[in-house]
Amino acid sequence: MSGRRVHLVRRDLIFAAVREAGRISRADLVRRTGMARMTVNGLVAELLTAGVLAEQAAAHSGTRAGRPARSLTLGPAAGGVVGALIGADGVRVAEADLAGNILHERHHDIDTSDPSTALDAIAEVITGTGRIWSTVAGFSAPISGGVIQSSSVLPGWAGTSPAAELGRRLGHRVIVRNDADLSLLGEVGYGVAAGHQDVCYLRVATGIGCGLLLGGTVHHGATGVAGEIGHVQVDETGALCQCGNRGCLETIASPRQILAALSASYGSPVTASQAVELARTDATAERILADAGRMIGRVVAALANGINPSLVVLDGPLITPDGPILAGVAESLHRYAQPEVVESTAVRVSALGGRAALLGAVGAALRVTPAARGERAFLPVPAASADTPAVPSPGRRERLVRRDMILDALRGQGPTARSDLVKITRLPRAAVVELLAELRHEGLVELCAPAEARAGRPSPHFRLTVGSGRLIGIALAVPGIRAVVADGAGRIEETVTVPFPMSNDSHPMLRAAGDLARELLDRHGPEARIAVSVPAPVHPGTGRFGIRSVLPMFSGFAPAEEIAAAVGRPVRVENNAQLAALAEMRRGAARGARDVLYLKADQHTGAGIVAGGRMHRGAIGYAGEVGHLNVREIGPFCICGSRGCLSAFLAPAYFGALIEPRPAAFSPVAPGSPAPPGSPAPPGSPVSRASTEGEDRLLTLAAEGNRPAQRALLDAGRLIGRTVAPLCDVLNPAVVVVGGRFVEAGGFVVEGIREALLRHSAPSAAAGLSVVRAELGFDAEALGAVELLL
């Protein structure tokens, strides 16, 4: 690192230490930063001259003997940050000092419909009383790559890049973000979402926006337009939306529609505050708001089943803690989400009084100040050793942070080109080259061959150093037990299949998996590591199946413990669709993508989610339970106990007209006799022999060219795509990978899913979406288990 760069890092470190302490002596600064006294004194003198720091006279504390030390605090030129929100009703601006204290907060009535005239007016009101380090501006519209996308709130801003224009006018750094994401940051930093890792924030205002926190990280999606919940289609024949679709949630449950309905009922305009008061005493107003809450709640229930948050936060002028909208959302959540998901999902109303987005903007602006950069140097560092001092210097601290960034990228991506590491980490190329050489010398990373050929001059590929032990991935599925053995680099050495029927009691299958694992350990060495794929949600913290799991045979116990007892060593267990998603991202059809939705298309439909390159399991491991999304209120019973779930429409019984073209004469079935092919499986037996044979029959007919069977699979794909479209709107994946048994008969179900997603997803989410057939087939889940161990 250059001398100038080290100097800047050290200065930022001093700045951060003073900001964090509020008041600190030079001696304490030396201890806090680990720098030499002479270095600290030189930097403090520089910052005092610039007015960034101020020194206050010594004062006796009464706790220390001797001459009291003078105290350093932030000075008058320390500056601050600005947060701004640009919406249809004008601009809100808040200025804060570097400690996060709000100094001024104002609302300006500016016409924001035309960006060419609005930008000058916005720049005039975004001013500060001192030096402004950064401004974060939130817009009520999706944003991709800094470009405003089409929205119903700010339609005239589509295609503009306001950060550069505002930065030029203001003379300092400007960052633009979607206001729902900023609201989410505000709730996590200052509101009811503090401490939560998986959060869905809904802002029901001019439009309906959504911010997602997945695994502690704000999720932006593949193209930056995640959270388009307002354009989830809830009525195919409904009113035309500004996005071009019909029946979007915003056309039914936005405040604009609610207030229009109330105004029509009362014969005069009704404001949001009046609507809230009317709903306390008037049955009509209460019913209109409750109905909007139930419609919003149906989408929330789909998200709860799909991404499994621990908290849903509702915010907006019509939402109160005891109001009908909250009650309607809770009612739909209980009606349409899985019981265990309902029990683990809290629904709260924001307590920030509509200030969540503004506070989030201020918090985001603070993160890019020199003080915040210095605070990142206080991240935990390895324990002291003979080669590493107990308190590393600022330069060493930054180097350790950069090393961790590279190791995290390799851990999440697998073998990666050096040029791609530069893009992923956003570090200078020279720094990446130097750090890779250092990590390679220490034996932490190694050179490897690229996964596929590239045009142009090849960039060297690196991966984490491969261990000597073998990796064993085992998958439990309807056909039986599939095992894959790989070396430490993930190269496949052996595959094994053991036919085993799945029954109402899963313990025999788990014991059989343990026996197979023990045999493989005997052949490949006792140091091998094992991971197992199971067809049920697994709690990410406890490793247990839920007490009220969707499948009764996988309920109430820890599968890893069952198999570990048989093999005498630790075992990792994960959900099958999640592992298939991981495998397809690393080895299959979604290579290179970081935001992937995997759909397991068969009678037990499930989904796996990869967000930002990492598996998303959800708060209790239920993320991806799309087979139990509601399709029709009065549909057939599902094994989960609800009516009209997606899986109920994909079961062999629903294709009975094709599987059994000629109805057989009625004859009673003796107890213990197998049910006729195509008949519904009894409760608790979702994988009965009859259902398996019925699915086999359907796929055979389609593969042999039977047009009705092919059309049925195409229609099944349309139904799956229509049902999971809300997930695509909110998650904004780059690739949807379709696997499962239905793809064995050809591309019919894939084409149906593609057609439905392009038809029903929000235009911004569908624009960059690819729908492809899975490449790994029956091996996907076992390969995902291997990838989990890498």
Side-chain angles (χ1 to χ4, degrees):
M1 196 185 305
S2 68
R4 175 61 178 166
R5 178 60 178 155
V6 170
H7 179 79
L8 293 175
V9 171
R10 288 172 170 169
R11 191 187 65 183
D12 291 348
L13 191 62
I14 294 289
F15 201 177
V18 175
R19 184 185 105 163
E20 183 182 56
R23 184 186 302 273
I24 190 171
S25 69
R26 297 191 188 211
D28 288 336
L29 265 181
V30 171
R31 286 189 288 270
R32 179 74 176 96
T33 62
M35 288 186 278
R37 181 181 297 274
M38 184 178 298
T39 302
V40 169
N41 286 335
L43 291 167
V44 166
E46 178 183 329
L47 293 170
L48 287 172
T49 301
V52 173
L53 295 184
E55 196 163 27
Q56 297 183 349
H60 283 283
S61 63
T63 61
R64 299 174 61 177
R67 182 180 178 182
R70 293 169 64 84
S71 298
L72 294 166
T73 63
L74 294 180
V81 297
V82 170
L85 294 180
I86 294 90
D89 59 345
V91 180
R92 292 178 63 190
V93 178
E95 180 189 354
D97 62 22
L98 292 184
N101 301 309
I102 303 296
L103 304 177
H104 307 287
E105 185 174 334
R106 302 174 298 275
H107 181 272
H108 301 271
D109 292 320
I110 294 174
D111 181 7
T112 58
S113 59
D114 180 18
S116 60
T117 58
L119 283 168
D120 288 331
I122 293 170
E124 289 180 7
V125 301
I126 300 179
T127 57
T129 55
R131 178 173 185 176
I132 300 299
W133 293 99
S134 62
T135 291
V136 171
F139 284 80
S140 299
I143 300 172
S144 177
V147 179
I148 307 293
Q149 306 297 301
S150 176
S151 76
S152 57
V153 180
L154 296 172
W157 288 76
T160 62
S161 303
E165 290 295 325
L166 284 173
R168 182 174 57 80
R169 288 168 169 81
L170 296 172
H172 62 255
R173 183 178 184 182
V174 176
I175 300 170
V176 296
R177 299 283 294 272
N178 173 263
D179 62 347
D181 286 345
L182 293 177
S183 296
L184 174 64
L185 290 174
E187 291 293 343
V188 171
Y190 307 95
V192 296
H196 287 266
Q197 295 294 301
D198 297 284
V199 181
C200 178
Y201 169 89
L202 268 70
R203 171 73 177 168
V204 185
T206 310
I208 303 179
C210 173
L212 289 180
L213 189 75
L214 303 182
T217 302
V218 177
H219 179 68
H220 303 293
T223 59
V225 296
E228 282 291 270
I229 193 173
H231 297 287
V232 169
Q233 190 180 52
V234 293
D235 180 8
E236 291 189 44
T237 60
L240 189 66
C241 178
Q242 290 188 10
C243 76
N245 274 350
R246 286 189 175 274
C248 294
L249 183 62
E250 282 189 4
T251 68
I252 297 173
S254 69
R256 180 187 305 154
Q257 302 302 322
I258 296 170
L259 296 179
L262 287 171
S263 298
S265 297
Y266 291 96
S268 61
V270 176
T271 65
S273 58
Q274 289 172 337
V276 170
E277 289 303 316
L278 283 171
R280 301 183 190 278
T281 57
D282 185 90
T284 299
E286 190 275 338
R287 187 172 185 177
I288 289 175
L289 266 65
D291 180 70
R294 284 189 286 269
M295 296 304 298
I296 295 171
R298 290 199 63 164
V299 179
V300 169
L303 296 184
N305 273 359
I307 62 176
N308 185 206
S310 62
L311 176 69
V312 175
V313 181
L314 298 176
D315 194 5
L318 294 175
I319 298 173
T320 57
D322 58 347
I325 289 183
L326 180 66
V329 170
E331 179 185 329
S332 289
L333 182 65
H334 280 77
R335 167 68 182 84
Y336 298 109
Q338 285 297 300
E340 280 203 308
V341 171
V342 173
E343 291 171 4
S344 66
T345 306
V347 182
R348 299 283 185 269
V349 174
S350 172
L352 297 179
R355 299 175 68 233
L358 200 59
L359 292 174
V362 168
L366 287 169
R367 289 187 179 93
V368 295
T369 62
R373 291 199 301 268
E375 284 176 355
R376 286 193 283 274
F378 291 128
L379 292 172
V381 297
S385 66
D387 300 322
T388 306
V391 182
S393 66
R396 175 63 179 165
R397 285 179 179 273
E398 175 152 324
R399 191 176 191 86
L400 290 170
V401 171
R402 290 182 167 191
R403 282 165 53 101
D404 286 342
M405 291 170 65
I406 291 174
L407 291 173
D408 284 343
L410 290 173
R411 192 172 293 114
Q413 295 282 355
T416 308
R418 187 173 63 194
S419 58
D420 290 336
L421 285 173
V422 172
K423 297 174 184 176
I424 294 169
T425 62
R426 298 183 180 179
L427 294 174
R429 181 182 178 279
V432 172
V433 171
E434 181 183 352
L435 290 170
L436 283 171
E438 178 181 296
L439 292 168
R440 188 182 176 197
H441 176 73
E442 295 176 12
L444 297 177
V445 304
E446 62 184 12
L447 284 166
C448 64
E452 56 185 13
R454 289 186 174 186
R457 184 179 179 183
S459 176
H461 281 60
F462 292 84
R463 67 184 178 197
L464 298 180
T465 300
V466 175
S468 58
R470 296 296 188 267
L471 310 175
I472 300 175
I474 299 176
L476 310 185
V478 173
I481 304 170
R482 181 76 161 176
V484 171
V485 180
D487 65 13
R491 291 184 288 264
I492 305 304
E493 296 182 341
E494 181 183 1
T495 59
V496 181
T497 301
V498 178
F500 200 97
M502 195 175 289
S503 66
N504 290 345
D505 184 2
S506 63
H507 290 79
M509 194 174 204
L510 290 170
R511 286 193 292 269
D515 293 340
L516 176 59
R518 191 165 54 248
E519 291 177 15
L520 294 173
L521 286 174
D522 291 340
R523 288 208 298 270
H524 296 281
E527 75 281 0
R529 290 178 289 150
I530 303 170
V532 180
S533 164
V534 294
V538 179
H539 195 291
T542 66
R544 301 184 66 86
F545 293 130
I547 298 298
R548 304 170 64 186
S549 182
V550 175
L551 300 179
M553 74 278 289
F554 291 104
S555 296
F557 64 93
E561 294 178 5
E562 298 274 335
I563 301 175
V567 299
R569 59 184 298 104
V571 174
R572 296 185 65 177
V573 173
E574 290 287 350
N575 173 261
N576 58 352
Q578 300 290 359
L579 291 177
L582 182 65
E584 290 289 348
M585 181 197 73
R586 298 233 181 119
R587 297 173 179 256
R591 284 189 300 274
R594 292 178 56 80
D595 294 281
V596 178
L597 178 64
Y598 172 86
L599 296 176
K600 184 173 181 286
D602 53 32
Q603 60 177 306
H604 311 298
T605 304
I609 298 168
V610 176
R614 299 180 182 273
M615 282 196 311
H616 174 64
R617 303 170 176 85
I620 62 169
Y622 267 71
E625 284 297 300
V626 299
H628 300 283
L629 297 178
N630 186 263
V631 174
R632 187 156 61 91
E633 292 270 358
I634 55 174
F637 270 116
C638 176
I639 189 172
C640 74
S642 294
R643 280 188 178 275
C645 292
L646 175 61
S647 289
F649 289 95
L650 302 175
Y654 203 73
F655 299 102
L658 298 175
I659 299 170
E660 290 292 327
R662 292 172 295 180
F666 170 80
S667 61
V669 179
S673 300
S679 61
S685 303
V687 288
S688 68
R689 180 178 177 184
S691 65
T692 303
E693 291 177 349
E695 190 173 56
D696 290 343
R697 172 67 174 158
L698 174 67
L699 298 178
T700 299
L701 287 171
E704 292 174 348
N706 182 281
R707 294 294 296 276
Q710 292 174 351
R711 185 174 182 180
L713 288 177
L714 178 67
D715 187 63
R718 293 183 182 126
L719 184 62
I720 295 171
R722 171 69 181 88
T723 307
V724 303
L727 272 185
C728 288
D729 288 341
V730 174
L731 291 172
N732 181 213
V735 184
V736 172
V737 180
V738 184
R741 291 212 63 202
F742 282 177
V743 303
E744 295 174 8
F748 312 107
V749 70
V750 179
E751 185 56 38
I753 290 174
R754 181 184 295 111
E755 177 187 319
L757 287 178
L758 295 179
R759 166 67 182 86
H760 298 290
S761 295
S764 57
L769 185 65
S770 297
V771 181
V772 298
R773 180 175 177 171
E775 292 182 0
L776 303 179
F778 186 43
D779 286 334
E781 296 166 18
L783 289 172
V786 168
E787 289 294 332
L788 188 68
L789 298 170
L790 286 171

